[in-house]
Amino acid sequence: IIPEPFNFIVNAQMGVLWFNAKITGKPCHVLQTSAGSNAIEGAFSLFAALKVLEEKYNEPSNRHAVYEGIDHPVNFNLGKIEGGNWASSVPSSCRFEARVGFWPGIKIEDVKRDIESTLNDEANKLGLGLEIAYRGFQADGAILLPDFVGGEASGKKSLQTDFVDSLQKCYKTASAGDESNAGRKLLIKPITCTCDARFYSNLYQNSGNVVVTCVGPESDSIHGVDESVSLKSFRDCMVTIA
């Protein structure tokens, strides 16, 4: 059990890829901006092209069954950007870092090919130079609980169903003293990000011998201002795992 702050039983997680893009334009004086190529403006145009790819990934025909009913599961994020020297020159260079999500079962090399094709096509249209490099996450998606793809057991008894039944019973016992949680079952659903459970699932898991999931305390504003977890929920999670 990976105790990330998701207060439900995680049955799947997205693949995640990080990359850097370096855009090269043409500098010039602002008295004639049309004589140059603005690399910062170009960066936003390139990311706008990626957002079109994001919507393509989210189309129902491309959707993985485990994410049925989840609103917009695949997300691309422009996380960092820097460029230019000062306000009175058309900037000749810009760098940005982005995060791309993709479905379980999709090969990372195929996602890279989509990214590169999309960005290179747009850069060529704009007459910009472009270099792409990958760093950080190159994480496959993962189906952690194949017997619970739809959120409920597929009907057959297995190590996974025994594990989930035991987890639900332990959670019920752990939260029995909390009137707001009394008798509540943990939901079973996917996350639209990645977590360390993928290592056990993709690299080591034989679903007949090893079961991995993610269950943790209730959280608020993850990766945002005043990120926090509920202390009551933290206690319930700790007792459940114990």
Side-chain angles (χ1 to χ4, degrees):
I1 298 173
I2 308 296
E4 294 266 6
F6 304 108
N7 196 222
F8 50 87
I9 298 171
V10 175
N11 60 357
Q13 61 184 66
M14 280 286 180
V16 170
L17 182 65
W18 288 357
F19 73 91
N20 298 336
K22 179 183 177 183
I23 300 100
T24 303
K26 180 182 177 182
C28 71
H29 195 286
V30 292
L31 62 84
Q32 192 181 9
T33 56
S34 60
S37 298
N38 191 313
I40 295 175
E41 292 179 0
F44 284 102
S45 295
L46 265 61
F47 192 73
L50 274 183
K51 295 295 279 185
V52 175
L53 178 63
E54 175 192 79
E55 293 310 311
K56 180 181 177 182
Y57 278 15
N58 276 298
E59 288 176 0
S61 59
N62 294 324
R63 181 180 291 260
H64 194 289
V66 75
Y67 285 91
E68 193 65 39
I70 305 293
D71 183 45
H72 207 280
V74 176
N75 294 295
F76 294 3
N77 183 60
L78 178 58
K80 182 179 178 181
I81 187 168
E82 58 185 8
N85 295 310
W86 70 316
S88 285
S89 287
V90 172
S92 63
S93 66
C94 181
R95 296 176 183 267
F96 71 80
E97 297 181 13
R99 175 267 196 200
V100 169
F102 56 94
W103 304 111
I106 301 298
K107 294 180 179 178
I108 289 176
E109 292 307 313
D110 290 338
V111 179
K112 288 182 178 180
R113 190 158 42 247
D114 286 344
I115 292 169
E116 291 164 16
S117 174
T118 299
L119 293 181
N120 281 315
D121 285 351
E122 187 67 17
N124 288 336
K125 275 193 247 177
L126 298 172
L128 297 169
L130 175 64
E131 297 175 32
I132 299 170
Y134 300 95
R135 59 170 294 277
F137 273 118
Q138 295 189 49
D140 290 303
I143 303 298
L144 305 178
L145 300 173
D147 290 349
F148 290 85
V149 167
E152 298 291 338
S154 58
K156 61 180 180 180
K157 184 176 174 61
S158 67
L159 183 63
Q160 290 177 46
T161 60
D162 289 345
F163 176 84
V164 169
D165 286 346
S166 296
L167 188 54
Q168 294 282 23
K169 289 175 184 175
C170 290
Y171 179 78
K172 184 177 180 180
T173 300
S175 59
D178 183 354
E179 293 183 3
S180 64
N181 269 344
R184 181 173 79 88
K185 289 181 66 176
L186 291 165
L187 295 176
I188 302 172
K189 59 183 183 177
I191 54 175
T192 57
C193 57
T194 188
C195 73
D196 289 346
R198 72 185 184 280
F199 289 115
Y200 298 92
S201 176
N202 290 347
L203 300 180
Y204 307 116
Q205 183 180 8
N206 175 337
S207 59
N209 298 318
V210 178
V211 180
V212 58
T213 189
C214 178
V215 181
E218 293 177 7
S219 59
D220 185 58
S221 300
I222 295 178
H223 288 196
V225 177
D226 294 331
E227 179 178 16
S228 63
V229 297
S230 157
L231 290 179
K232 285 184 180 180
S233 179
F234 184 88
R235 177 206 61 195
D236 293 344
C237 179
M238 180 177 64
V239 175
T240 298
I241 292 174

